[in-house]
Amino acid sequence: MFGNGIVHIGRDDTNDLVIDSLAVAPVHAALIVREDGCTIKQLNEDFPVLVNGEKTKIRNLNNNDMITLGKHDIVYNDMERVDQTPQPDNLIDPFDNEYDALPSGNFQVMNGPNIGKLIQIRKSMTRLGHAGTGIVVISKRKEGYFVTVLENIGKMTVNDIPLTERAVKLNPNDVLNINDTSLQFFLGPSHKQSTVSVF
């Protein structure tokens, strides 16, 4: 799923792999992915990393190793490598002009205690929902934004049409329901037009 480089894992949304659990540190561990293998490194002394049930600070991973972070298990599999050669039909080149010109995707919470909250889709894949109550993944592609069910529990719909295993393209004003939470999708300016000020 990930190409060569460093993959950060943790609870904070800035990680590459986000695990929404208090048992996981905001920045818990890092995977160092290389052509010849992968190494996991613990990044927070207060939150252990277990590989096949053994605590470790740094360790080379083998195929089918079980990584435990808090209450969550991840199986490492080196059989599926990311093709490093971009294929126009199915892979996104992050430096492609068409991709940069894609308008920013956003959701607004329409009900509940977080009503009015805005969620901006910044990454190529964003997870929404909670384990045990239903999870969807929003993927940003050259063709637009798509929603796919990761954990189908309870009511998971787009415009009251149940989500299945197939990805559904999101259009402006579509309403995504994850159980009792309604989120309305809308588009903002393109990524090229977006500016961020840091004070």
Side-chain angles (χ1 to χ4, degrees):
M1 187 170 175
F2 294 102
N4 293 344
I6 298 175
V7 178
H8 289 92
I9 308 171
R11 187 174 71 235
D12 193 87
D13 286 340
T14 59
N15 290 285
D16 303 296
L17 182 58
V18 178
I19 302 173
D20 188 10
S21 170
L22 292 176
V24 174
V27 180
H28 199 121
L31 294 173
I32 298 94
V33 183
R34 304 173 308 279
E35 284 294 329
D36 61 345
C38 182
T39 302
I40 190 164
K41 182 176 181 182
Q42 178 183 347
L43 297 178
N44 190 314
E45 292 289 325
D46 297 327
F47 291 84
V49 172
L50 283 75
V51 177
N52 300 326
E54 298 177 10
K55 285 187 179 180
T56 184
K57 291 189 184 294
I58 188 165
R59 180 169 172 165
N60 290 328
L61 295 173
N62 297 308
N63 195 37
N64 293 322
D65 275 351
M66 177 72 73
I67 303 164
T68 303
L69 305 176
K71 301 181 231 174
H72 303 273
D73 295 327
I74 302 167
V75 177
Y76 171 72
N77 185 326
D78 65 359
M79 302 306 287
E80 184 178 319
R81 291 284 183 178
V82 174
D83 186 355
Q84 298 298 317
T85 306
Q87 303 294 325
D89 293 337
N90 59 6
L91 289 180
I92 296 172
D93 179 354
F95 302 105
D96 191 302
N97 290 336
E98 283 185 56
Y99 183 71
D100 287 343
L102 187 67
S104 63
N106 305 274
F107 284 97
Q108 184 167 18
V109 180
M110 304 301 290
N111 62 350
N114 293 314
I115 190 168
K117 180 179 178 182
L118 296 177
I119 302 167
Q120 187 176 23
I121 308 303
R122 293 189 179 100
K123 298 181 180 181
S124 59
M125 296 182 78
T126 301
R127 192 182 82 159
L128 298 174
H130 298 284
T133 61
I135 300 170
V136 298
V137 173
I138 309 301
S139 55
K140 183 166 48 174
R141 305 178 190 172
K142 202 175 279 190
E143 301 85 10
Y145 293 85
F146 292 78
V147 59
T148 309
V149 174
L150 187 61
E151 182 182 78
N152 199 347
I153 297 175
K155 182 184 177 187
M156 312 283 280
T157 64
V158 172
N159 300 329
D160 293 323
I161 299 170
L163 289 169
T164 62
E165 295 175 4
R166 299 186 64 135
V168 174
K169 185 175 181 181
L170 292 167
N171 296 303
N173 301 316
D174 279 353
V175 176
L176 170 65
N177 281 298
I178 306 172
N179 284 317
D180 296 329
T181 303
S182 295
L183 305 155
Q184 187 169 32
F185 179 73
F186 65 96
L187 296 173
S190 71
H191 295 284
K192 280 185 172 178
Q193 295 169 326
S194 302
T195 57
V196 176
S197 299
V198 178
F199 297 96

